[in-house]
Amino acid sequence: METITEKLIYVALFIFIIHSIETLAYAVRLSGARVKRIATALSLFNIMVMVSRLANMMQQPFTGSLIDNAPSTNGQEFVATQFRFLIGASTVGTIFGMLLLPTFIALFSRAIIHLSEERGSIPSLFKRLFSLQYIKRGITHFSLPRFSYLKDTEIKDIPVRLFLINMIITAIYTIGVLSALYAALLTPERATTAIMASGLINGVATILLIIFVDPKVSVIADDVVNGRGNYQTLKNMSLMMVTSRLLGTLLAQVFFIPGAKYIAWFTQFIV
């Protein structure tokens, strides 16, 4: 049976988009600090998070169908290979988002200004953003990262603890659904219980992100706007966050099977 199927590619595309959007979300605070409109930037940030969460919900049934279509013989190994392919798609999506960061910092800066001009009207903003004139103008802002973008960025300035926390949270979020589905193969008698655990895992990862990571970046962004900090510090922090996010998707490959085994073990205490 063919491992890389058309359905698997569609699911991988969903995951690619999800992780691209969530990586580009780091550009929103940079743009908000750049144009001195953090509160408006957070509205745009929330929209991006909502879109990524919606895409995540949409891909889950398709990911689950990969379990249903697994061969009866050697099914676990077959599904594990497919799921590792999907985790790889999250890594590629993160890299793609990183490459587009300079472009989207410029685009989000204009979008934040337009959102203020439209008095917070999202429909009016989207109408303007998707106009042919704006799309042509947006193409002129396209630029790839340059080594000069790393100027004044020093490793000693990286908060190691925050770097590791964000990396681990990203790894957990990346494998939440996949490990839960794979756990259903490991414990077929408790398959439904294992699958339902995915929501809890992703929920916990999101809460940890909100508690330990987001406030740190938000405070630095506020300092930039209020003149107590500089834009370079915020840029360094954002670069650190997307790098730790990329490493988190790689760490997810390591966490995948142990995570599934832990979920399978944990389900015996629920049933």
Side-chain angles (χ1 to χ4, degrees), residues 200-245:
L200 177 62
I201 296 168
N202 284 349
V204 170
T206 302
I207 291 172
L208 292 175
L209 191 68
I210 293 171
I211 293 175
F212 293 106
V213 178
D214 282 350
K216 299 286 186 180
V217 184
S218 297
V219 168
I220 295 175
D222 284 341
D223 287 345
V224 173
V225 174
N226 295 326
R228 295 193 299 267
N230 60 75
Y231 184 77
Q232 181 65 39
T233 302
L234 179 61
K235 187 175 78 170
N236 291 348
M237 176 66 76
S238 299
L239 288 173
M240 180 273 292
M241 297 300 287
V242 296
T243 302
S244 67
R245 177 177 179 79

Side-chain angles (χ1 to χ4, degrees), residues 26-38 101-109 112 149 151-153 217 220-239:
Y26 288 105
V28 177
R29 285 193 182 91
L30 281 167
S31 300
R34 188 179 183 184
V35 298
K36 310 296 184 183
R37 298 180 182 181
I38 286 295
L101 272 177
T103 300
F104 274 80
I105 289 172
L107 294 178
F108 286 152
S109 297
I112 290 167
Y149 198 72
K151 184 181 179 181
D152 300 325
T153 300
V217 184
I220 295 175
D222 284 341
D223 287 345
V224 173
V225 174
N226 295 326
R228 295 193 299 267
N230 60 75
Y231 184 77
Q232 181 65 39
T233 302
L234 179 61
K235 187 175 78 170
N236 291 348
M237 176 66 76
S238 299
L239 288 173

Side-chain angles (χ1 to χ4, degrees), residues 71-127:
S72 54
T73 58
N74 205 28
Q76 291 184 12
E77 184 178 347
F78 179 85
V79 171
T81 302
Q82 289 190 320
F83 281 6
R84 290 195 182 280
F85 179 83
L86 297 180
I87 297 173
S90 70
T91 302
V92 176
T94 302
I95 294 172
F96 182 75
M98 293 173 70
L99 293 175
L100 291 181
L101 272 177
T103 300
F104 274 80
I105 289 172
L107 294 178
F108 286 152
S109 297
R110 298 186 65 85
I112 290 167
I113 293 172
H114 290 325
L115 184 59
S116 298
E117 292 174 352
E118 299 293 346
R119 309 303 298 173
S121 174
I122 297 299
S124 298
L125 174 65
F126 282 174
K127 182 179 179 181

Side-chain angles (χ1 to χ4, degrees), residues 16 47 70 81 97 178 217 232 256:
F16 172 88
I47 292 172
T81 302
L178 301 178
V217 184
Q232 181 65 39
F256 168 50

Side-chain angles (χ1 to χ4, degrees), residues 132-180:
L132 183 60
Q133 180 183 3
Y134 192 87
I135 292 174
K136 288 181 179 178
R137 190 183 304 168
I139 294 174
T140 63
H141 288 289
F142 178 79
S143 62
L144 291 173
R146 300 183 180 92
F147 283 110
S148 59
Y149 198 72
L150 299 175
K151 184 181 179 181
D152 300 325
T153 300
E154 298 183 7
I155 296 178
K156 66 182 180 62
D157 296 330
I158 295 176
V160 177
R161 182 180 177 184
L162 187 62
F163 186 94
L164 293 176
I165 289 174
N166 189 57
M167 184 173 69
I168 293 171
I169 291 174
T170 300
I172 294 172
Y173 178 78
T174 301
I175 56 106
V177 173
L178 301 178
S179 288

Side-chain angles (χ1 to χ4, degrees), residues 8-18 86 89:
L8 180 66
I9 293 174
Y10 286 145
V11 177
L13 182 60
F14 262 117
I15 292 176
F16 172 88
I17 292 172
I18 291 167
L86 297 180

